[in-house]
Amino acid sequence: MAGTIRSTYRASLRVNLQEVGTTEPWSDTDLNDYLEQATNEAANLLVDDALQELFDLKLSQATVNGTDNYALDSDALRVVWVKYNGKLARMVGVSQIPLLDSNSFMTPSLTDPAAYVLNGKIYIKPTPGATVPTYDYCFVKRPVWATGDGIANPLNDDKRNIVLYLAGAIAFGSDSVKLSEATIHRGLAETAIKTLNDKFERLKQRTGGLMR
């Protein structure tokens, strides 16, 4: 399911903005910018499994004996999973990091590794040693929309309305007399995002969380 090209997106956005006649309050450059902002916002608000077209997989990444942190790819938006010693690592939130050392129930091991992301780096626990020289990880890429009217949006078309609603909210929000329209479009976007997120959460539950 490919994404729609920029010129078609822009034409649809103009329809949503209800522009009348030949006077267009928003330039093509303005709408291109709003669409790119909306695409990035959508990627931040949707759950990982709804963004599989943005998944990137890095296998057999080298570890260094005694080093627990490794730089993320520069285009990584967020990490989906980390695998170490052939095991999926427990992804730990920032608030839980201190518990890895202080809570015996959370102490990582080679058979039950843990990982977390902090300041653009992946941290792997237990600290890698010489016996396990690599790790794998999957991440969501930032949705970079290359320049050009014929270039497709990096998000698949099941997110098309979400991008259009968000772009509409941004466009209307730039005009002080159209803030009510911005609120309406923001609400439509939030509803569409919730619907898609809920769909993928239900699918995850049915498959026992094994969608990847």
Side-chain angles (χ1 to χ4, degrees):
M1 185 189 298
T4 298
I5 62 173
R6 188 189 303 273
S7 60
T8 302
Y9 251 111
R10 196 170 58 239
S12 297
L13 180 55
R14 288 197 184 282
V15 171
N16 285 5
L17 296 174
Q18 298 179 322
E19 291 185 335
V20 179
T22 58
T23 301
E24 297 180 344
W26 295 282
S27 69
D28 283 356
T29 299
D30 289 336
L31 297 189
N32 288 343
D33 182 53
Y34 301 154
L35 286 165
E36 289 183 25
Q37 290 182 51
T39 297
N40 279 280
E41 185 173 353
N44 276 293
L45 294 173
L46 288 164
V47 296
D48 293 342
D49 285 321
L51 296 167
Q52 293 184 41
E53 65 269 34
L54 298 181
F55 278 15
D56 199 353
L57 183 61
K58 298 293 183 180
L59 300 176
S60 300
Q61 303 296 291
T63 60
V64 177
N65 189 3
T67 300
D68 66 354
N69 63 90
Y70 302 90
L72 281 172
D73 278 51
S74 59
D75 62 343
L77 177 64
R78 58 182 180 266
V79 172
V80 179
W81 54 256
V82 176
K83 184 179 288 186
Y84 182 62
N85 194 37
K87 308 289 185 182
L88 278 175
R90 288 178 282 125
M91 297 303 297
V92 176
V94 174
S95 63
Q96 295 178 305
I97 293 173
L99 299 178
L100 294 177
D101 295 321
S102 62
N103 187 321
S104 60
F105 293 103
M106 293 189 67
T107 301
S109 66
L110 287 178
T111 56
D112 182 26
Y116 57 89
V117 178
L118 185 65
N119 298 327
K121 294 182 178 181
I122 294 175
Y123 286 76
I124 299 173
K125 298 293 183 178
T127 299
T131 57
V132 185
T134 64
Y135 68 99
D136 308 324
Y137 76 102
C138 176
F139 63 92
V140 177
K141 296 183 295 185
R142 299 183 189 280
V144 177
W145 198 350
T147 303
D149 277 357
I151 303 298
N153 190 301
L155 297 182
N156 286 344
D157 271 350
D158 57 342
K159 292 94 177 172
R160 186 167 183 268
N161 283 339
I162 291 172
V163 172
L164 287 171
Y165 291 146
L166 289 172
I170 295 168
F172 282 131
S174 68
D175 188 334
S176 61
V177 301
K178 296 182 177 179
L179 296 182
S180 61
E181 287 93 336
T183 300
I184 291 170
H185 275 69
R186 176 68 57 179
L188 291 170
E190 290 173 352
T191 298
I193 289 167
K194 184 179 186 303
T195 298
L196 194 57
N197 282 344
D198 287 350
K199 169 187 172 182
F200 279 93
E201 288 299 327
R202 288 194 300 271
L203 286 171
K204 183 188 291 186
Q205 291 172 5
R206 291 173 188 168
T207 59
L210 300 175
M211 290 187 60
R212 299 159 189 164

